[in-house]
Amino acid sequence: MLTLKNIFHISLLMLAIGIEINQAKECKIPENNEDIDWDKVKDDWYMVLHTNDEIMKEDVIGVRLRNISNTNEGMRMVITELHENSPPQTFTSHRIKRRDGVYHREKSEEPAALASHTLTPDGGTNDKAKKIDDALFNGDILALCDEKNFLVNAFCSLSDEWVVWVAFPTLNPTIHQISLMWNKLIEKGIVVQLYPSKTVAHPELMESLK
């Protein structure tokens, strides 16, 4: 019998095959985007898909987003990141709104993100991951969210490639939820190959945080 989890992995494979043929060559955040009422984005959200960038493919194996809300400047959320070789890190992210759907990370929070994203098991620094954070904190972030099915953060790397992190309100999203997310990316001209987070195959790692 084809379970929901099997369907999910098959759908990911189909997406990967389709988008590998037509990779986007330009990274540019669209001018016109939808406003998001963050107070309607309830409960916990989990990183399920990403572009396998240097942050997500090395040490970060899962991400949980919670306590999402509007602020006077834009929005805030509490982020917990699970790591392959180090303890979980929890920090608050404030985002300053530039225009509908486009935000900028609070610069004062960069050290916390760097500590979570770039630390290697031997106590050194992953310079390639640091370049992703340099782009994250020095450029704009496109937020795409229908407030109940998907939450996308997308930004341009220093090499002008899309970095896309996709969260859902579950580690096992439905095909409908994935389709809604994918259609929104296509609408915005974002064509990338997406990979599942390691916690999709090992949800017990994320559940242990509750």
Side-chain angles (χ1 to χ4, degrees), residues 2 6 12 21 23 25 28 81 85-86 102 105 115 120 133-134 152 154 166 175-176 179 185 192 195 205 207 209:
L2 199 61
N6 289 335
L12 284 181
I21 297 172
Q23 288 285 323
K25 296 182 178 179
K28 184 179 180 181
E81 295 180 341
N85 301 301
S86 59
V102 179
R105 285 288 293 267
T120 60
D133 271 341
D134 287 343
V152 175
V166 186
I175 292 179
H176 176 66
S179 297
L185 287 181
V192 292
Y195 300 80
L205 297 175
E207 291 170 358
L209 295 177

Side-chain angles (χ1 to χ4, degrees), residues 6-175:
N6 289 335
I7 293 173
F8 171 57
H9 286 296
I10 291 171
S11 66
L12 284 181
L13 178 62
M14 293 174 62
L15 289 178
I17 292 172
I19 53 193
E20 193 170 12
I21 297 172
N22 183 28
Q23 288 285 323
K25 296 182 178 179
E26 181 182 16
C27 184
K28 184 179 180 181
I29 293 181
E31 289 297 324
N32 297 316
N33 302 291
E34 299 78 26
D35 195 16
I36 302 168
D37 184 353
W38 295 105
D39 287 338
K40 293 182 179 179
V41 185
K42 302 295 186 182
D43 303 320
D44 295 355
W45 292 67
Y46 303 92
M47 174 91 64
V48 171
L49 299 171
H50 55 75
T51 41
N52 210 36
D53 55 88
E54 291 296 329
I55 289 176
M56 295 303 164
K57 77 179 182 181
E58 291 296 327
D59 189 42
V60 177
I61 62 174
V63 180
R64 182 181 67 189
L65 313 175
R66 64 190 335 179
N67 298 337
I68 301 172
S69 62
N70 294 313
T71 65
N72 291 334
E73 295 79 19
M75 63 88 69
R76 69 178 291 277
M77 68 177 76
V78 176
I79 302 173
T80 297
E81 295 180 341
L82 292 177
H83 303 98
E84 189 84 54
N85 301 301
S86 59
Q89 296 280 343
T90 298
F91 52 93
T92 301
S93 173
H94 294 85
R95 308 208 176 171
I96 302 168
K97 184 176 178 180
R98 290 193 177 277
R99 61 183 187 275
D100 286 354
V102 179
Y103 296 81
H104 192 77
R105 285 288 293 267
E106 181 63 54
K107 192 72 173 176
S108 63
E109 297 166 4
E110 187 172 9
L114 286 170
S116 185
H117 294 163
T118 69
L119 188 65
T120 60
D122 60 1
T125 299
N126 180 340
D127 290 331
K128 291 181 178 179
K130 184 179 182 302
K131 288 182 179 179
I132 299 295
D133 271 341
D134 287 343
L136 177 64
F137 280 91
N138 291 285
D140 288 339
I141 303 166
L142 174 64
L144 304 171
C145 183
D146 69 351
E147 300 168 356
K148 61 181 180 178
N149 290 296
F150 63 86
L151 195 170
V152 175
N153 286 293
F155 58 97
C156 299
S157 72
L158 298 180
S159 57
D160 202 36
E161 296 179 341
W162 281 110
V163 178
V164 178
W165 300 336
V166 186
F168 295 92
T170 172
L171 280 170
N172 189 21
T174 65
I175 292 179

